[in-house]
Amino acid sequence: TLSVTSFMGVIILAGIVVNNGIVLVDHVNQLRRRENMEKHDALVQAGMDRFRPILITAITTILGMLPMALSTGMGSEMRAPMALTVIGGLITATFLTLFYVPIFYSIADHISYKTQKQMVTMLHGREEAD
């Protein structure tokens, strides 16, 4: 059901998912900068390096929300929607973070590279060497 508590769950979920995405993208950027890795190699390495921390974050949050989702005591009808929102959202968003964030990063990086080349051509009248 849609309620204030379920929307609070969406806010909690958004914070966790955005944090996981930032951790993944930041690690890709570090690998590209420090190790001079190519984009694809950095995305694969970052996915392997950050798989466990992202999964552990999701699993601990899900396990922490289970008592709230399954409780039958007083007031549980107010708290259960928030817990169910976070649990369901984390199950979905964890896989989206691990698979779609690298895809979107690759697309955004490609667009940025093309735009940068066009700007150099417009400003200098020719293409600059990489």
Side-chain angles (χ1 to χ4, degrees):
T1 61
L2 295 176
S3 64
V4 172
T5 56
S6 64
F7 283 119
M8 285 175 30
V10 169
I11 293 169
I12 293 168
L13 176 65
I16 294 168
V17 171
V18 167
N19 186 42
N20 284 342
I22 289 170
V23 165
L24 184 62
V25 169
D26 183 53
H27 192 59
V28 171
N29 290 335
Q30 286 179 2
L31 289 173
R32 289 182 76 184
R33 234 179 294 125
R34 289 187 193 154
E35 309 292 329
N36 292 326
M37 292 180 116
E38 293 294 321
K39 175 177 58 177
H40 177 72
D41 296 334
L43 285 168
V44 171
Q45 185 65 42
M48 290 189 312
D49 291 348
R50 297 296 172 219
F51 176 75
R52 192 171 56 167
I54 289 171
L55 204 58
I56 288 172
T57 300
I59 290 171
T60 55
T61 306
I62 289 168
L63 290 177
M65 290 287 179
L66 273 178
M68 190 184 299
L70 300 175
S71 74
T72 57
M74 276 180 81
S76 64
E77 61 276 351
M78 288 288 292
R79 293 184 304 268
M82 178 177 64
L84 292 173
T85 301
V86 172
I87 290 170
L90 269 179
I91 290 170
T92 305
T94 299
F95 293 107
L96 292 177
T97 299
L98 291 170
F99 294 110
Y100 286 108
V101 167
I103 292 169
F104 289 132
Y105 179 93
S106 182
I107 291 169
D109 187 65
H110 180 72
I111 292 170
S112 172
Y113 177 75
K114 289 287 188 186
T115 305
Q116 185 179 15
K117 274 181 82 170
Q118 288 176 348
M119 291 300 292
V120 168
T121 302
M122 286 173 44
L123 292 173
H124 298 288
R126 67 187 191 291
E127 289 189 24
E128 294 288 325
D130 290 337

